[in-house]
């Protein structure tokens, strides 16, 4: 659908808003010793509203364009956290978030704006291409390495904190399952005669849920700012790269400036994560009651009458 990528972006932004609300409520529930109501609302936002709007967006736009939209979660985070969790913003949080937003914006501009449709057989065959098999092997090895870090490193290790966010993002970033499932559901009743359809739908539902489960485990031990930032960044990276690899969306990036700026935008996003990760030191509080945003020097917002 020509121009449909704009509709897809709007739906994806709504999905990221619901997802951020859910994550903030999840952290608030931990602060209030596991409030059932807060956990229920968080679950509804994260596992119902977020994936529904997210899946809907894939019917309109390419994965390489939609994946970076998850980065807008940092904007919703900045807007919601001070009011819901009563915490203060630090300059580094603002700077890191701005860098991430710039990276996400460039990815959205340079990504493929073409979202071709496929037949069911074409979709199934994408799982057997050599480039996807190599990607799958690398992803599995990385996940196993992150699980090993979580299992062996101490609670106060920054590597263990990083591993929680990275692992949840890598798992949840397998967005090609979601886009494939959305395409298959629009192909008619014949797709339900294929066993592959059911496996794809299971992974499309299971990967986001498992990613949020790992994220929730990390939120119980570490401050939400770092865990969520790392989660969102790996979600963006994995979603963008897997879209290019699985759906061959690099074919929609024919201009030289797209091929140049797309990897630069990914590096920019990582730089934003590094800035955010420096907002607390080794003596920063950890655990369920650690603040979402920490600051030695709070930002004073001054309103001036003209």
């Amino acid at each position: 659908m020509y121009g449909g990528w704009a509709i897809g972006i709007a739906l994806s932004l709504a999905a990221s808003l619901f997802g951020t609300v859910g994550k903030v409520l999840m952290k608030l529930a931990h602060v209030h010793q596991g409030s059932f109501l807060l956990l229920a609302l968080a679950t509804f936002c994260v596992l119902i509203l977020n994936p529904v709007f997210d899946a809907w967006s894939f019917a309109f736009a390419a994965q390489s364009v939609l994946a970076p939209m998850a980065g807008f979660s940092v904007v919703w985070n900045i807007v919601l956290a001070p009011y819901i969790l009563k915490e203060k913003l630090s300059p580094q949080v603002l700077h890191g978030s701005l860098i991430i937003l710039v990276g996400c914006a460039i990815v959205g501009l340079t990504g493929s704006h073409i979202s071709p449709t496929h037949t069911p057989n074409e979709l199934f065959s994408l799982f057997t291409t050599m480039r996807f098999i190599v990607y799958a092997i690398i992803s599995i090895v990385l996940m196993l390495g992150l699980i090993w870090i979580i299992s062996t490193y101490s609670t106060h290790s920054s590597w263990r904190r990083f591993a929680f966010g990275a692992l949840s993002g890598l798992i949840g970033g397998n967005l090609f399952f979601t886009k494939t499932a959305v395409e298959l559901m629009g192909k008619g009743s014949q797709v339900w005669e294929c066993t592959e359809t059911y496996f794809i739908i299971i992974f499309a539902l299971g990967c986001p849920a498992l990613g949020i489960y790992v994220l929730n485990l990390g939120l119980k031990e570490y401050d939400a700012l770092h865990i969520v930032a790392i989660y969102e960044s790996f979600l963006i990276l994995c979603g963008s790269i897997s879209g290019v690899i699985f759906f061959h969306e690099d074919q929609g990036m024919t201009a030289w400036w797209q091929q140049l700026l797309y990897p630069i935008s990914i590096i920019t996003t990582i730089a934003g994560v590094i800035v955010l990760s420096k907002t607390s030191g080794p003596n920063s509080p950890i655990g369920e009651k650690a603040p979402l945003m920490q600051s030695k020097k709070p930002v004073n917002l001054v309103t001036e009458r003209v």
Side-chain angles (χ1 to χ4, degrees):
M1 179 179 177
Y2 182 75
W5 60 273
I7 299 175
I9 287 178
L11 292 171
S12 185
L13 289 177
S16 69
L17 174 59
F18 289 126
T20 303
V21 170
K23 296 181 188 74
V24 172
L25 290 177
M26 190 181 297
K27 181 63 181 180
L28 192 62
H30 291 315
V31 172
H32 289 280
Q33 300 179 346
S35 168
F36 176 79
L37 178 59
L38 290 174
L39 285 175
L41 290 173
T43 301
F44 181 71
C45 287
V46 172
L47 297 184
I48 304 297
L49 294 179
N50 175 263
V52 167
F53 276 79
D54 213 19
W56 194 7
S57 68
F58 282 110
F60 296 92
Q63 180 179 323
S64 59
V65 172
L66 294 178
M69 294 307 108
F72 275 83
S73 294
V74 298
V75 176
W76 310 135
N77 223 6
I78 288 174
V79 171
L80 296 174
Y83 294 99
I84 296 179
L85 299 178
K86 307 299 181 184
E87 297 174 4
K88 296 179 180 180
L89 294 172
S90 71
Q92 283 178 299
V93 169
L94 295 174
H95 296 159
S97 300
L98 178 60
I99 294 173
I100 291 176
L101 285 177
V102 170
C104 294
I106 298 175
V107 173
L109 291 173
T110 58
S112 175
H113 290 173
I114 301 173
S115 184
T117 58
H118 306 81
T119 66
N121 287 334
E122 287 174 342
L123 288 172
F124 298 148
S125 66
L126 291 175
F127 288 93
T128 62
T129 60
M130 182 55 64
R131 63 192 295 181
F132 174 73
I133 293 174
V134 171
Y135 166 80
I137 292 174
I138 293 175
S139 296
I140 292 172
V141 171
L142 287 175
M143 290 179 190
L144 291 175
L146 292 170
I147 291 172
W148 178 79
I149 291 175
I150 292 172
S151 303
T152 58
Y153 280 53
S154 68
T155 302
H156 290 273
S157 170
S158 60
W159 281 106
R160 189 171 186 270
R161 181 184 63 184
F162 171 84
F164 267 115
L167 180 61
S168 57
L170 282 175
I171 295 173
N174 292 308
L175 303 175
F176 53 86
F177 285 118
T178 303
K179 186 168 177 60
T180 303
V182 170
E183 279 204 49
L184 285 173
M185 290 181 181
K187 300 301 181 184
S189 59
Q190 68 273 15
V191 298
W192 300 107
E193 299 175 2
C194 305
T195 306
E196 295 91 336
T197 300
Y198 297 94
F199 280 103
I200 291 171
I201 291 176
I202 289 172
F203 278 100
L205 296 174
C207 286
L210 182 57
I212 293 299
Y213 173 75
V214 175
L215 176 64
N216 189 37
L217 293 179
L219 288 173
K220 290 182 178 180
E221 298 186 28
Y222 302 101
D223 52 290
L225 172 64
H226 299 91
I227 294 291
V228 172
I230 295 170
Y231 163 78
E232 295 293 350
S233 298
F234 272 85
L235 188 74
I236 291 169
L237 295 176
C238 183
S240 302
I241 294 172
S242 63
V244 170
I245 291 175
F246 186 79
F247 288 106
H248 303 269
E249 291 177 355
D250 52 322
Q251 296 176 1
M253 295 181 279
T254 55
W256 66 268
W257 56 270
Q258 289 178 296
Q259 299 172 2
L260 174 66
L261 291 179
Y262 193 80
I264 290 177
S265 63
I266 294 177
I267 295 173
T268 303
T269 305
I270 295 176
V273 177
I274 294 174
V275 172
L276 281 176
S277 68
K278 291 181 179 179
T279 57
S280 66
N283 296 322
S284 298
I286 61 173
E288 297 182 1
K289 296 188 178 181
L292 178 67
M293 298 180 179
Q294 301 174 37
S295 173
K296 293 181 180 179
K297 183 180 179 182
V299 175
N300 295 319
L301 302 178
V302 180
T303 304
E304 209 174 21
R305 289 184 179 270
V306 180

